[in-house]
Amino acid sequence: MYDRESADKEYKDMVEKNKELRGKTRKELGLKPYRGREIRSNILGINVVITQAHIAKILGLDNKGEDIEVYDKKSKHLDSIHQDLFKSGCTQKDFGKVMHMKHTFEFAFRMCLSTIFTRKGGLDTISIPHKHLIWFLYKRVKVNLAKILFDHMCLTINEGRTKIPSVIHHPRLISELIRQTKLTDIVSAKEKLRVFQTAKYDASVLVNMKRKTKEEIIQVKT
C-alpha cells in the first residue's frame, strides 16, 4: 500500500544515498508525482496499480459523497445517531454495542460486515465511522462507497504486514479489476488459477441473531 508516508520515505531514501540530491523535486529525482494512495503489486513481472478511482469505475460509482472516516467522537451527528439507531434507555456505554441497536439497523450493520468491511471476530461492536454509515443510509445521504471499499482494502493490506496468515478482502473485486485489464489472459497462460470460495450470506443470519428460529426460515427451491 503506497501512501504519503511511503512516498516521503521513497524520497528520503534517495536523498540519504546521495546528499547532493537534497532540495530537488520528485520529478528531478525521476520519481513519479504523488497523486494519492495506491495499491501496488506485481504479477509475473507486470506492475499493477489499483486506486480508489478504479474501484469507483468498475462499480459504476460517482466517487463522491460523505467520507465516514472523518467522523470521530466530536461528530455533531452523534446525538441524532444514538437517538435514531439505538433502543431507548441506552447509556453512553451501550452505544458501542450492536446488541443495543434497533433491529432494522442491527441487521443492516451485519449485512455491511458481510459485504463491505468484512472482519473476523468482534462482531458485537460498532465504530463511530460505521455508525455514521448506517445513519447516512437511513437518512438517504450519499456516502462515498468507493472510498469505504478502498480504505478497507488498504487497511487489511497494512495489517497483513504483521499478521500471519494474511487475509485478502474483496478478492472478487480485485480479480475483476485484473480480468478487465486482460492480465488474467497472461496469468492463465503461465499458471493455473485458483478459485477462492467466499462466505455465503443468506437468511440463516437471522437465526444467529436470534430474530428467527430455524423452523421459521423457509427454504426456496431453485
Side-chain angles (χ1 to χ4, degrees), residues 86-98:
F86 289 80
K87 300 172 186 175
S88 60
C90 287
T91 65
Q92 194 65 32
K93 196 173 183 180
D94 296 333
F95 291 136
K97 296 291 185 180
V98 177

Side-chain angles (χ1 to χ4, degrees), residues 8-9 15 24 30 49 54 58 64 85 87 96 125 141 143 151 154 157-158 160 169-171 181 196 210-211:
D8 291 343
K9 185 177 184 304
V15 172
K24 293 186 178 295
V49 175
H54 291 138
I58 197 173
K64 297 178 182 178
L85 303 190
K87 300 172 186 175
T125 60
V141 175
V143 297
D151 284 348
C154 290
I157 288 172
N158 277 340
H169 287 264
H170 309 301
T181 58
F196 295 88
K210 298 181 180 180
R211 303 296 175 224

Side-chain angles (χ1 to χ4, degrees), residues 176-210:
E176 181 60 17
L177 282 166
I178 295 174
R179 185 193 69 79
Q180 290 197 18
T181 58
K182 307 299 181 183
L183 277 174
T184 49
D185 296 337
I186 301 172
V187 175
S188 61
K190 296 186 178 183
E191 291 189 1
K192 186 176 180 180
L193 297 179
R194 292 179 292 169
V195 177
F196 295 88
Q197 298 295 329
T198 56
K200 184 176 69 173
Y201 186 78
D202 56 25
S204 62
V205 70
L206 295 174
V207 178
N208 298 332
M209 293 169 61
K210 298 181 180 180

Side-chain angles (χ1 to χ4, degrees), residues 39-55:
I39 295 173
R40 294 183 176 184
S41 189
N42 187 284
I43 301 178
L44 299 179
I46 301 174
N47 291 326
V48 178
V49 175
I50 299 175
T51 66
Q52 182 177 314
H54 291 138
I55 302 296

Side-chain angles (χ1 to χ4, degrees), residues 11-207:
Y11 179 90
K12 183 179 178 181
D13 289 344
M14 287 193 68
V15 172
E16 287 182 349
K17 290 178 181 178
N18 185 350
K19 302 299 183 183
E20 296 181 359
L21 300 178
R22 189 180 302 277
K24 293 186 178 295
T25 64
R26 292 183 62 86
K27 184 176 181 180
E28 290 172 332
L29 295 181
L31 299 174
K32 294 181 180 180
Y34 178 73
R35 295 191 175 93
R37 287 182 305 164
E38 299 175 342
I39 295 173
R40 294 183 176 184
S41 189
N42 187 284
I43 301 178
L44 299 179
I46 301 174
N47 291 326
V48 178
V49 175
I50 299 175
T51 66
Q52 182 177 314
H54 291 138
I55 302 296
K57 185 173 182 180
I58 197 173
L59 295 177
L61 303 173
D62 293 336
N63 201 15
K64 297 178 182 178
E66 289 282 352
D67 177 6
I68 63 172
E69 291 299 328
V70 303
Y71 294 100
D72 55 22
K73 61 183 180 180
K74 297 180 181 179
S75 170
K76 63 182 181 181
H77 302 304
L78 277 181
D79 288 341
S80 296
I81 290 174
H82 292 159
Q83 181 178 348
D84 290 337
L85 303 190
F86 289 80
K87 300 172 186 175
S88 60
C90 287
T91 65
Q92 194 65 32
K93 196 173 183 180
D94 296 333
F95 291 136
K97 296 291 185 180
V98 177
M99 63 181 293
H100 296 296
M101 298 179 74
K102 296 175 183 176
H103 297 331
T104 300
F105 303 119
E106 178 189 358
F107 182 71
F109 177 64
R110 292 188 184 280
M111 284 185 64
C112 290
L113 285 180
S114 299
T115 55
I116 300 177
F117 36 81
T118 54
R119 67 187 186 192
K120 288 185 177 181
L123 304 182
D124 61 333
T125 60
I126 180 169
S127 67
I128 292 178
H130 293 162
K131 289 180 187 177
H132 281 78
L133 171 61
I134 303 300
W135 189 69
F136 285 141
L137 293 176
Y138 168 59
K139 291 295 186 180
R140 298 183 180 275
V141 175
K142 186 179 182 65
V143 297
N144 193 331
L145 179 58
K147 186 176 188 304
I148 294 173
L149 291 169
F150 189 69
D151 284 348
H152 185 62
M153 291 169 68
C154 290
L155 175 65
T156 53
I157 288 172
N158 277 340
E159 289 179 345
R161 294 174 178 174
T162 56
K163 291 185 178 180
I164 300 176
S166 299
V167 177
I168 299 176
H169 287 264
H170 309 301
R172 294 172 66 180
L173 179 58
I174 296 174
S175 64
E176 181 60 17
L177 282 166
I178 295 174
R179 185 193 69 79
Q180 290 197 18
T181 58
K182 307 299 181 183
L183 277 174
T184 49
D185 296 337
I186 301 172
V187 175
S188 61
K190 296 186 178 183
E191 291 189 1
K192 186 176 180 180
L193 297 179
R194 292 179 292 169
V195 177
F196 295 88
Q197 298 295 329
T198 56
K200 184 176 69 173
Y201 186 78
D202 56 25
S204 62
V205 70
L206 295 174
V207 178

